Amino acid sequence: MFERPQSGERAILLHASPGGTPDPNEREEFAELATSAGAVIVDEVISSRRRPDSRYFIGKGKLEDVQRSVDENHAELVISSASLSPSQERNLEKTLKCRVLDRAGLILDIFAQRARSFEGKLQVELAQLRHLSTRLVRGWTHLERQKGGIGLRGPGETQLETDRRLVGKRIRQLKERLEHVDSRRTMNRQNRLRAEIPTVALVGYTNAGKSTLFNALTEAGVYVEDKLFATLDPTVRKLELPGGGEVILADTVGFIRDLPHELIAAFRSTLQEAREADLILHLIDASDPNRWQRVRQVNAVLKELDADRVPQIRVYNKIDKLDRPPRLTNNRRGEGRAVWLSAVTGEGIPLLLEAVGKRLCPKKIHGVIRLQASQGRLRALLFELGAVLQEKPVDDGGWVLDLEMTERDFRRMIKRENLPPEVFETPQADEPAVSA
């Protein structure tokens, strides 16, 4: 009976594509995934069949090629680009005498390596256990049937059943912990709603430069490296806009083609930031020849998360690789629709902030307020908010202030100072509010 190995870095990539030859770009991306996971690629085998074989997915001739490559290269791991059923994965391992992973298992392994936060680790473990629960099959010696009880009153609980029960118990525990974490995240989101601070979610295909742009906008110091899924843990920071407003910028996990459903389910609370956002910045690698395919794949994930109706601004990053100037294009309403920039050099970032400001700039009101001499503290507060356009002293020691401020700041001021709303007088359209 074959004992399944638990580790190994020397890997053979099996590019299996039913119905045709695997696409070269998809092969390159798959190799990047394997390298990002720490695998040392010793060989690549390409297979194409009209219909997958029910036992091995690949045909017997191609299986012999893979077996020969495993023996010659002393490979410890075979990674299939196609999704394998549990039985196909087990049959390949028995024949090849080495560990076999499919694309979903590879991505789960990368996520397990990169998760740093408590929430991220819980989400990855939950996704791994959901994936494992479909692959608990009697293929290894530790799953052999145990003896029955006293006498021969029947077979005892098999190791397979024990494993399933333990996995199910751990899944329930993880779900309960994540519900507590999600409740805190929901509370923070509700606090932002009460404070009327708009939320902007940064999404995009993995390795499009989201973390680099996030750092350039907020100086958050998020880990950045040129590899797939360099960062997983969501980060939220406050961002000041040029017009005086502020937004909450949320960085999310990168998307990829055929993202495993276990991961989408586990990271749903994290990706909730995208669904609840007021605006999505869809980051696109402008230097990627397959960028339109990547755009469609990201939009497909957003649709699965019910986030496809959130307004988007497309951000074309890495223009420094194309030697293109930064630019901003608007839609028919004059709102920013697309921005070309470089997160590395900083070119075009002011255009992005301008576009976000136009989309989310809070409505401002203009009026006049009359303050008594005893209201000096309120006067100082209005100057601190930058709301005072003009000021005119009056004979009784008070002031007449011409103000322009957001509705949010106005409502806060009225509530904090316990003032009647009519204290704010709207000037006539054809007259200056305060004459010098």
Side-chain angles (χ1 to χ4, degrees), residues 175-208:
K175 284 183 177 179
E176 290 175 1
R177 291 187 182 182
L178 282 171
E179 283 175 2
H180 291 302
V181 175
D182 189 38
S183 63
R184 290 198 297 270
R185 184 181 293 277
T186 302
M187 189 181 301
N188 292 336
R189 194 179 296 117
Q190 290 173 347
N191 290 337
R192 295 200 299 265
L193 287 173
R194 281 194 292 270
E196 298 182 359
I197 302 178
T199 301
V200 178
L202 196 58
V203 306
Y205 207 78
T206 182
N207 209 27

PDB file of all heavy atoms in Angstrom, residues 175-208:
ATOM      1  N   LYS A 175     -15.859  27.857  11.492  1.00  0.00           N
ATOM      2  CA  LYS A 175     -16.994  28.698  11.105  1.00  0.00           C
ATOM      3  C   LYS A 175     -17.450  29.572  12.254  1.00  0.00           C
ATOM      4  O   LYS A 175     -17.748  30.761  12.064  1.00  0.00           O
ATOM      5  CB  LYS A 175     -18.153  27.811  10.620  1.00  0.00           C
ATOM      6  CG  LYS A 175     -17.973  27.244   9.222  1.00  0.00           C
ATOM      7  CD  LYS A 175     -19.203  26.440   8.828  1.00  0.00           C
ATOM      8  CE  LYS A 175     -19.081  25.919   7.400  1.00  0.00           C
ATOM      9  NZ  LYS A 175     -20.279  25.122   7.022  1.00  0.00           N
ATOM     10  N   GLU A 176     -17.487  29.011  13.471  1.00  0.00           N
ATOM     11  CA  GLU A 176     -17.895  29.800  14.638  1.00  0.00           C
ATOM     12  C   GLU A 176     -16.913  30.935  14.913  1.00  0.00           C
ATOM     13  O   GLU A 176     -17.316  32.059  15.195  1.00  0.00           O
ATOM     14  CB  GLU A 176     -18.003  28.889  15.864  1.00  0.00           C
ATOM     15  CG  GLU A 176     -19.170  27.909  15.803  1.00  0.00           C
ATOM     16  CD  GLU A 176     -19.179  26.942  16.976  1.00  0.00           C
ATOM     17  OE1 GLU A 176     -18.270  27.060  17.838  1.00  0.00           O
ATOM     18  OE2 GLU A 176     -20.071  26.083  17.036  1.00  0.00           O
ATOM     19  N   ARG A 177     -15.612  30.645  14.819  1.00  0.00           N
ATOM     20  CA  ARG A 177     -14.611  31.694  15.050  1.00  0.00           C
ATOM     21  C   ARG A 177     -14.710  32.788  13.990  1.00  0.00           C
ATOM     22  O   ARG A 177     -14.597  33.977  14.295  1.00  0.00           O
ATOM     23  CB  ARG A 177     -13.205  31.086  15.054  1.00  0.00           C
ATOM     24  CG  ARG A 177     -12.924  30.200  16.248  1.00  0.00           C
ATOM     25  CD  ARG A 177     -11.465  29.779  16.263  1.00  0.00           C
ATOM     26  NE  ARG A 177     -11.170  28.887  17.371  1.00  0.00           N
ATOM     27  CZ  ARG A 177      -9.952  28.405  17.628  1.00  0.00           C
ATOM     28  NH1 ARG A 177      -8.937  28.736  16.841  1.00  0.00           N
ATOM     29  NH2 ARG A 177      -9.752  27.604  18.656  1.00  0.00           N
ATOM     30  N   LEU A 178     -14.901  32.363  12.736  1.00  0.00           N
ATOM     31  CA  LEU A 178     -14.991  33.354  11.665  1.00  0.00           C
ATOM     32  C   LEU A 178     -16.256  34.188  11.773  1.00  0.00           C
ATOM     33  O   LEU A 178     -16.270  35.352  11.363  1.00  0.00           O
ATOM     34  CB  LEU A 178     -14.930  32.655  10.297  1.00  0.00           C
ATOM     35  CG  LEU A 178     -13.527  32.219   9.856  1.00  0.00           C
ATOM     36  CD1 LEU A 178     -13.600  31.361   8.618  1.00  0.00           C
ATOM     37  CD2 LEU A 178     -12.642  33.433   9.610  1.00  0.00           C
ATOM     38  N   GLU A 179     -17.314  33.615  12.334  1.00  0.00           N
ATOM     39  CA  GLU A 179     -18.532  34.403  12.541  1.00  0.00           C
ATOM     40  C   GLU A 179     -18.282  35.530  13.535  1.00  0.00           C
ATOM     41  O   GLU A 179     -18.779  36.641  13.359  1.00  0.00           O
ATOM     42  CB  GLU A 179     -19.662  33.493  13.043  1.00  0.00           C
ATOM     43  CG  GLU A 179     -20.283  32.633  11.945  1.00  0.00           C
ATOM     44  CD  GLU A 179     -21.317  31.665  12.486  1.00  0.00           C
ATOM     45  OE1 GLU A 179     -21.571  31.701  13.723  1.00  0.00           O
ATOM     46  OE2 GLU A 179     -21.869  30.872  11.697  1.00  0.00           O
ATOM     47  N   HIS A 180     -17.482  35.256  14.587  1.00  0.00           N
ATOM     48  CA  HIS A 180     -17.139  36.299  15.549  1.00  0.00           C
ATOM     49  C   HIS A 180     -16.287  37.383  14.883  1.00  0.00           C
ATOM     50  O   HIS A 180     -16.495  38.586  15.104  1.00  0.00           O
ATOM     51  CB  HIS A 180     -16.380  35.706  16.738  1.00  0.00           C
ATOM     52  CG  HIS A 180     -17.220  34.827  17.619  1.00  0.00           C
ATOM     53  ND1 HIS A 180     -18.360  35.276  18.240  1.00  0.00           N
ATOM     54  CD2 HIS A 180     -17.091  33.526  17.971  1.00  0.00           C
ATOM     55  CE1 HIS A 180     -18.895  34.299  18.951  1.00  0.00           C
ATOM     56  NE2 HIS A 180     -18.144  33.211  18.788  1.00  0.00           N
ATOM     57  N   VAL A 181     -15.305  36.959  14.082  1.00  0.00           N
ATOM     58  CA  VAL A 181     -14.459  37.925  13.372  1.00  0.00           C
ATOM     59  C   VAL A 181     -15.297  38.750  12.407  1.00  0.00           C
ATOM     60  O   VAL A 181     -15.143  39.972  12.297  1.00  0.00           O
ATOM     61  CB  VAL A 181     -13.317  37.197  12.626  1.00  0.00           C
ATOM     62  CG1 VAL A 181     -12.512  38.179  11.791  1.00  0.00           C
ATOM     63  CG2 VAL A 181     -12.414  36.475  13.610  1.00  0.00           C
ATOM     64  N   ASP A 182     -16.214  38.079  11.706  1.00  0.00           N
ATOM     65  CA  ASP A 182     -17.064  38.771  10.736  1.00  0.00           C
ATOM     66  C   ASP A 182     -17.988  39.768  11.422  1.00  0.00           C
ATOM     67  O   ASP A 182     -18.278  40.834  10.881  1.00  0.00           O
ATOM     68  CB  ASP A 182     -17.883  37.752   9.951  1.00  0.00           C
ATOM     69  CG  ASP A 182     -18.623  38.372   8.780  1.00  0.00           C
ATOM     70  OD1 ASP A 182     -18.049  39.264   8.132  1.00  0.00           O
ATOM     71  OD2 ASP A 182     -19.770  37.988   8.527  1.00  0.00           O
ATOM     72  N   SER A 183     -18.448  39.436  12.626  1.00  0.00           N
ATOM     73  CA  SER A 183     -19.322  40.368  13.350  1.00  0.00           C
ATOM     74  C   SER A 183     -18.564  41.639  13.708  1.00  0.00           C
ATOM     75  O   SER A 183     -19.118  42.740  13.642  1.00  0.00           O
ATOM     76  CB  SER A 183     -19.876  39.704  14.609  1.00  0.00           C
ATOM     77  OG  SER A 183     -18.841  39.378  15.512  1.00  0.00           O
ATOM     78  N   ARG A 184     -17.274  41.501  14.078  1.00  0.00           N
ATOM     79  CA  ARG A 184     -16.466  42.692  14.362  1.00  0.00           C
ATOM     80  C   ARG A 184     -16.245  43.510  13.095  1.00  0.00           C
ATOM     81  O   ARG A 184     -16.308  44.740  13.112  1.00  0.00           O
ATOM     82  CB  ARG A 184     -15.116  42.289  14.966  1.00  0.00           C
ATOM     83  CG  ARG A 184     -15.218  41.749  16.373  1.00  0.00           C
ATOM     84  CD  ARG A 184     -13.861  41.779  17.059  1.00  0.00           C
ATOM     85  NE  ARG A 184     -12.896  40.917  16.400  1.00  0.00           N
ATOM     86  CZ  ARG A 184     -12.703  39.645  16.707  1.00  0.00           C
ATOM     87  NH1 ARG A 184     -13.450  39.068  17.645  1.00  0.00           N
ATOM     88  NH2 ARG A 184     -11.791  38.937  16.083  1.00  0.00           N
ATOM     89  N   ARG A 185     -15.991  42.817  11.974  1.00  0.00           N
ATOM     90  CA  ARG A 185     -15.798  43.527  10.709  1.00  0.00           C
ATOM     91  C   ARG A 185     -17.082  44.251  10.312  1.00  0.00           C
ATOM     92  O   ARG A 185     -17.046  45.388   9.839  1.00  0.00           O
ATOM     93  CB  ARG A 185     -15.389  42.528   9.616  1.00  0.00           C
ATOM     94  CG  ARG A 185     -15.062  43.173   8.278  1.00  0.00           C
ATOM     95  CD  ARG A 185     -14.705  42.095   7.262  1.00  0.00           C
ATOM     96  NE  ARG A 185     -13.462  41.449   7.619  1.00  0.00           N
ATOM     97  CZ  ARG A 185     -12.272  41.937   7.313  1.00  0.00           C
ATOM     98  NH1 ARG A 185     -12.175  43.086   6.664  1.00  0.00           N
ATOM     99  NH2 ARG A 185     -11.180  41.290   7.649  1.00  0.00           N
ATOM    100  N   THR A 186     -18.231  43.605  10.509  1.00  0.00           N
ATOM    101  CA  THR A 186     -19.507  44.240  10.202  1.00  0.00           C
ATOM    102  C   THR A 186     -19.734  45.456  11.078  1.00  0.00           C
ATOM    103  O   THR A 186     -20.245  46.493  10.622  1.00  0.00           O
ATOM    104  CB  THR A 186     -20.657  43.227  10.388  1.00  0.00           C
ATOM    105  OG1 THR A 186     -20.427  42.104   9.531  1.00  0.00           O
ATOM    106  CG2 THR A 186     -21.996  43.852  10.039  1.00  0.00           C
ATOM    107  N   MET A 187     -19.356  45.358  12.358  1.00  0.00           N
ATOM    108  CA  MET A 187     -19.503  46.492  13.264  1.00  0.00           C
ATOM    109  C   MET A 187     -18.645  47.673  12.802  1.00  0.00           C
ATOM    110  O   MET A 187     -19.093  48.824  12.798  1.00  0.00           O
ATOM    111  CB  MET A 187     -19.096  46.077  14.683  1.00  0.00           C
ATOM    112  CG  MET A 187     -19.404  47.109  15.756  1.00  0.00           C
ATOM    113  SD  MET A 187     -18.872  46.533  17.383  1.00  0.00           S
ATOM    114  CE  MET A 187     -19.830  45.011  17.514  1.00  0.00           C
ATOM    115  N   ASN A 188     -17.402  47.384  12.398  1.00  0.00           N
ATOM    116  CA  ASN A 188     -16.537  48.456  11.894  1.00  0.00           C
ATOM    117  C   ASN A 188     -17.133  49.088  10.639  1.00  0.00           C
ATOM    118  O   ASN A 188     -17.067  50.313  10.444  1.00  0.00           O
ATOM    119  CB  ASN A 188     -15.144  47.909  11.581  1.00  0.00           C
ATOM    120  CG  ASN A 188     -14.399  47.484  12.821  1.00  0.00           C
ATOM    121  OD1 ASN A 188     -14.681  47.973  13.917  1.00  0.00           O
ATOM    122  ND2 ASN A 188     -13.452  46.567  12.682  1.00  0.00           N
ATOM    123  N   ARG A 189     -17.728  48.234   9.778  1.00  0.00           N
ATOM    124  CA  ARG A 189     -18.335  48.753   8.556  1.00  0.00           C
ATOM    125  C   ARG A 189     -19.534  49.636   8.882  1.00  0.00           C
ATOM    126  O   ARG A 189     -19.734  50.689   8.270  1.00  0.00           O
ATOM    127  CB  ARG A 189     -18.752  47.571   7.659  1.00  0.00           C
ATOM    128  CG  ARG A 189     -19.074  47.966   6.237  1.00  0.00           C
ATOM    129  CD  ARG A 189     -19.453  46.748   5.408  1.00  0.00           C
ATOM    130  NE  ARG A 189     -18.358  45.818   5.285  1.00  0.00           N
ATOM    131  CZ  ARG A 189     -18.369  44.587   5.746  1.00  0.00           C
ATOM    132  NH1 ARG A 189     -19.425  44.120   6.373  1.00  0.00           N
ATOM    133  NH2 ARG A 189     -17.324  43.804   5.580  1.00  0.00           N
ATOM    134  N   GLN A 190     -20.323  49.254   9.864  1.00  0.00           N
ATOM    135  CA  GLN A 190     -21.476  50.060  10.268  1.00  0.00           C
ATOM    136  C   GLN A 190     -21.041  51.375  10.896  1.00  0.00           C
ATOM    137  O   GLN A 190     -21.687  52.412  10.700  1.00  0.00           O
ATOM    138  CB  GLN A 190     -22.339  49.257  11.249  1.00  0.00           C
ATOM    139  CG  GLN A 190     -23.072  48.099  10.606  1.00  0.00           C
ATOM    140  CD  GLN A 190     -23.780  47.221  11.616  1.00  0.00           C
ATOM    141  OE1 GLN A 190     -23.544  47.320  12.826  1.00  0.00           O
ATOM    142  NE2 GLN A 190     -24.660  46.341  11.143  1.00  0.00           N
ATOM    143  N   ASN A 191     -19.926  51.350  11.638  1.00  0.00           N
ATOM    144  CA  ASN A 191     -19.402  52.594  12.203  1.00  0.00           C
ATOM    145  C   ASN A 191     -18.990  53.556  11.099  1.00  0.00           C
ATOM    146  O   ASN A 191     -19.200  54.773  11.214  1.00  0.00           O
ATOM    147  CB  ASN A 191     -18.211  52.305  13.118  1.00  0.00           C
ATOM    148  CG  ASN A 191     -18.619  51.611  14.399  1.00  0.00           C
ATOM    149  OD1 ASN A 191     -19.771  51.712  14.824  1.00  0.00           O
ATOM    150  ND2 ASN A 191     -17.686  50.907  15.024  1.00  0.00           N
ATOM    151  N   ARG A 192     -18.405  53.023  10.038  1.00  0.00           N
ATOM    152  CA  ARG A 192     -18.027  53.889   8.913  1.00  0.00           C
ATOM    153  C   ARG A 192     -19.266  54.454   8.222  1.00  0.00           C
ATOM    154  O   ARG A 192     -19.261  55.612   7.789  1.00  0.00           O
ATOM    155  CB  ARG A 192     -17.171  53.107   7.909  1.00  0.00           C
ATOM    156  CG  ARG A 192     -15.839  52.659   8.461  1.00  0.00           C
ATOM    157  CD  ARG A 192     -14.863  52.334   7.341  1.00  0.00           C
ATOM    158  NE  ARG A 192     -15.306  51.259   6.487  1.00  0.00           N
ATOM    159  CZ  ARG A 192     -14.959  49.995   6.646  1.00  0.00           C
ATOM    160  NH1 ARG A 192     -14.177  49.644   7.640  1.00  0.00           N
ATOM    161  NH2 ARG A 192     -15.394  49.068   5.815  1.00  0.00           N
ATOM    162  N   LEU A 193     -20.322  53.639   8.148  1.00  0.00           N
ATOM    163  CA  LEU A 193     -21.562  54.128   7.549  1.00  0.00           C
ATOM    164  C   LEU A 193     -22.171  55.245   8.381  1.00  0.00           C
ATOM    165  O   LEU A 193     -22.650  56.248   7.847  1.00  0.00           O
ATOM    166  CB  LEU A 193     -22.565  52.986   7.395  1.00  0.00           C
ATOM    167  CG  LEU A 193     -22.277  51.962   6.291  1.00  0.00           C
ATOM    168  CD1 LEU A 193     -23.259  50.804   6.364  1.00  0.00           C
ATOM    169  CD2 LEU A 193     -22.337  52.622   4.916  1.00  0.00           C
ATOM    170  N   ARG A 194     -22.138  55.073   9.715  1.00  0.00           N
ATOM    171  CA  ARG A 194     -22.680  56.125  10.580  1.00  0.00           C
ATOM    172  C   ARG A 194     -21.867  57.401  10.471  1.00  0.00           C
ATOM    173  O   ARG A 194     -22.399  58.496  10.565  1.00  0.00           O
ATOM    174  CB  ARG A 194     -22.714  55.628  12.034  1.00  0.00           C
ATOM    175  CG  ARG A 194     -23.889  54.705  12.339  1.00  0.00           C
ATOM    176  CD  ARG A 194     -24.064  54.533  13.826  1.00  0.00           C
ATOM    177  NE  ARG A 194     -22.971  53.781  14.430  1.00  0.00           N
ATOM    178  CZ  ARG A 194     -22.978  52.451  14.556  1.00  0.00           C
ATOM    179  NH1 ARG A 194     -24.014  51.752  14.134  1.00  0.00           N
ATOM    180  NH2 ARG A 194     -21.962  51.826  15.114  1.00  0.00           N
ATOM    181  N   ALA A 195     -20.555  57.228  10.298  1.00  0.00           N
ATOM    182  CA  ALA A 195     -19.700  58.406  10.131  1.00  0.00           C
ATOM    183  C   ALA A 195     -19.787  58.980   8.722  1.00  0.00           C
ATOM    184  O   ALA A 195     -19.187  60.021   8.443  1.00  0.00           O
ATOM    185  CB  ALA A 195     -18.247  58.042  10.443  1.00  0.00           C
ATOM    186  N   GLU A 196     -20.526  58.302   7.850  1.00  0.00           N
ATOM    187  CA  GLU A 196     -20.737  58.739   6.470  1.00  0.00           C
ATOM    188  C   GLU A 196     -19.422  58.899   5.719  1.00  0.00           C
ATOM    189  O   GLU A 196     -19.229  59.842   4.952  1.00  0.00           O
ATOM    190  CB  GLU A 196     -21.543  60.042   6.433  1.00  0.00           C
ATOM    191  CG  GLU A 196     -22.928  59.912   7.031  1.00  0.00           C
ATOM    192  CD  GLU A 196     -23.718  61.201   6.929  1.00  0.00           C
ATOM    193  OE1 GLU A 196     -23.168  62.182   6.418  1.00  0.00           O
ATOM    194  OE2 GLU A 196     -24.878  61.212   7.358  1.00  0.00           O
ATOM    195  N   ILE A 197     -18.498  57.970   5.958  1.00  0.00           N
ATOM    196  CA  ILE A 197     -17.224  57.966   5.238  1.00  0.00           C
ATOM    197  C   ILE A 197     -17.328  56.945   4.120  1.00  0.00           C
ATOM    198  O   ILE A 197     -17.522  55.754   4.379  1.00  0.00           O
ATOM    199  CB  ILE A 197     -16.051  57.622   6.168  1.00  0.00           C
ATOM    200  CG1 ILE A 197     -15.977  58.610   7.335  1.00  0.00           C
ATOM    201  CG2 ILE A 197     -14.737  57.630   5.396  1.00  0.00           C
ATOM    202  CD1 ILE A 197     -14.874  58.314   8.323  1.00  0.00           C
ATOM    203  N   PRO A 198     -17.207  57.355   2.871  1.00  0.00           N
ATOM    204  CA  PRO A 198     -17.319  56.403   1.753  1.00  0.00           C
ATOM    205  C   PRO A 198     -16.183  55.380   1.783  1.00  0.00           C
ATOM    206  O   PRO A 198     -15.082  55.659   2.263  1.00  0.00           O
ATOM    207  CB  PRO A 198     -17.234  57.296   0.507  1.00  0.00           C
ATOM    208  CG  PRO A 198     -17.411  58.691   0.990  1.00  0.00           C
ATOM    209  CD  PRO A 198     -16.980  58.722   2.413  1.00  0.00           C
ATOM    210  N   THR A 199     -16.459  54.198   1.250  1.00  0.00           N
ATOM    211  CA  THR A 199     -15.463  53.130   1.179  1.00  0.00           C
ATOM    212  C   THR A 199     -15.115  52.849  -0.272  1.00  0.00           C
ATOM    213  O   THR A 199     -15.998  52.736  -1.120  1.00  0.00           O
ATOM    214  CB  THR A 199     -15.990  51.846   1.836  1.00  0.00           C
ATOM    215  OG1 THR A 199     -16.303  52.106   3.204  1.00  0.00           O
ATOM    216  CG2 THR A 199     -14.948  50.747   1.783  1.00  0.00           C
ATOM    217  N   VAL A 200     -13.823  52.745  -0.532  1.00  0.00           N
ATOM    218  CA  VAL A 200     -13.319  52.419  -1.870  1.00  0.00           C
ATOM    219  C   VAL A 200     -12.569  51.101  -1.771  1.00  0.00           C
ATOM    220  O   VAL A 200     -11.658  50.955  -0.950  1.00  0.00           O
ATOM    221  CB  VAL A 200     -12.381  53.522  -2.400  1.00  0.00           C
ATOM    222  CG1 VAL A 200     -11.835  53.139  -3.777  1.00  0.00           C
ATOM    223  CG2 VAL A 200     -13.104  54.855  -2.474  1.00  0.00           C
ATOM    224  N   ALA A 201     -12.967  50.104  -2.570  1.00  0.00           N
ATOM    225  CA  ALA A 201     -12.323  48.788  -2.560  1.00  0.00           C
ATOM    226  C   ALA A 201     -11.379  48.666  -3.747  1.00  0.00           C
ATOM    227  O   ALA A 201     -11.733  49.021  -4.879  1.00  0.00           O
ATOM    228  CB  ALA A 201     -13.364  47.681  -2.606  1.00  0.00           C
ATOM    229  N   LEU A 202     -10.181  48.175  -3.480  1.00  0.00           N
ATOM    230  CA  LEU A 202      -9.168  47.977  -4.518  1.00  0.00           C
ATOM    231  C   LEU A 202      -9.173  46.508  -4.905  1.00  0.00           C
ATOM    232  O   LEU A 202      -8.865  45.642  -4.080  1.00  0.00           O
ATOM    233  CB  LEU A 202      -7.804  48.392  -3.971  1.00  0.00           C
ATOM    234  CG  LEU A 202      -6.649  48.626  -4.940  1.00  0.00           C
ATOM    235  CD1 LEU A 202      -7.014  49.686  -5.957  1.00  0.00           C
ATOM    236  CD2 LEU A 202      -5.407  49.040  -4.168  1.00  0.00           C
ATOM    237  N   VAL A 203      -9.570  46.195  -6.137  1.00  0.00           N
ATOM    238  CA  VAL A 203      -9.629  44.809  -6.592  1.00  0.00           C
ATOM    239  C   VAL A 203      -8.829  44.680  -7.887  1.00  0.00           C
ATOM    240  O   VAL A 203      -8.519  45.675  -8.547  1.00  0.00           O
ATOM    241  CB  VAL A 203     -11.084  44.334  -6.824  1.00  0.00           C
ATOM    242  CG1 VAL A 203     -11.938  44.555  -5.589  1.00  0.00           C
ATOM    243  CG2 VAL A 203     -11.702  45.037  -8.021  1.00  0.00           C
ATOM    244  N   GLY A 204      -8.541  43.452  -8.250  1.00  0.00           N
ATOM    245  CA  GLY A 204      -7.820  43.218  -9.496  1.00  0.00           C
ATOM    246  C   GLY A 204      -7.240  41.827  -9.549  1.00  0.00           C
ATOM    247  O   GLY A 204      -7.235  41.091  -8.550  1.00  0.00           O
ATOM    248  N   TYR A 205      -6.753  41.464 -10.726  1.00  0.00           N
ATOM    249  CA  TYR A 205      -6.107  40.170 -10.910  1.00  0.00           C
ATOM    250  C   TYR A 205      -4.828  40.143 -10.091  1.00  0.00           C
ATOM    251  O   TYR A 205      -4.184  41.175  -9.870  1.00  0.00           O
ATOM    252  CB  TYR A 205      -5.792  39.961 -12.384  1.00  0.00           C
ATOM    253  CG  TYR A 205      -5.738  38.520 -12.819  1.00  0.00           C
ATOM    254  CD1 TYR A 205      -6.902  37.797 -13.050  1.00  0.00           C
ATOM    255  CD2 TYR A 205      -4.523  37.876 -13.013  1.00  0.00           C
ATOM    256  CE1 TYR A 205      -6.861  36.475 -13.463  1.00  0.00           C
ATOM    257  CE2 TYR A 205      -4.467  36.554 -13.428  1.00  0.00           C
ATOM    258  CZ  TYR A 205      -5.648  35.856 -13.649  1.00  0.00           C
ATOM    259  OH  TYR A 205      -5.606  34.540 -14.043  1.00  0.00           O
ATOM    260  N   THR A 206      -4.458  38.982  -9.595  1.00  0.00           N
ATOM    261  CA  THR A 206      -3.271  38.901  -8.762  1.00  0.00           C
ATOM    262  C   THR A 206      -2.033  39.386  -9.518  1.00  0.00           C
ATOM    263  O   THR A 206      -1.892  39.177 -10.726  1.00  0.00           O
ATOM    264  CB  THR A 206      -3.055  37.450  -8.274  1.00  0.00           C
ATOM    265  OG1 THR A 206      -1.904  37.406  -7.418  1.00  0.00           O
ATOM    266  CG2 THR A 206      -2.870  36.484  -9.429  1.00  0.00           C
ATOM    267  N   ASN A 207      -1.158  40.062  -8.789  1.00  0.00           N
ATOM    268  CA  ASN A 207       0.097  40.606  -9.327  1.00  0.00           C
ATOM    269  C   ASN A 207      -0.117  41.776 -10.279  1.00  0.00           C
ATOM    270  O   ASN A 207       0.754  42.094 -11.094  1.00  0.00           O
ATOM    271  CB  ASN A 207       0.927  39.515 -10.028  1.00  0.00           C
ATOM    272  CG  ASN A 207       2.423  39.805  -9.953  1.00  0.00           C
ATOM    273  OD1 ASN A 207       2.886  40.471  -9.033  1.00  0.00           O
ATOM    274  ND2 ASN A 207       3.170  39.321 -10.923  1.00  0.00           N
ATOM    275  N   ALA A 208      -1.287  42.442 -10.173  1.00  0.00           N
ATOM    276  CA  ALA A 208      -1.525  43.631 -11.006  1.00  0.00           C
ATOM    277  C   ALA A 208      -0.942  44.884 -10.377  1.00  0.00           C
ATOM    278  O   ALA A 208      -0.883  45.930 -11.028  1.00  0.00           O
ATOM    279  CB  ALA A 208      -3.033  43.823 -11.233  1.00  0.00           C
TER     280      ALA A 208
END
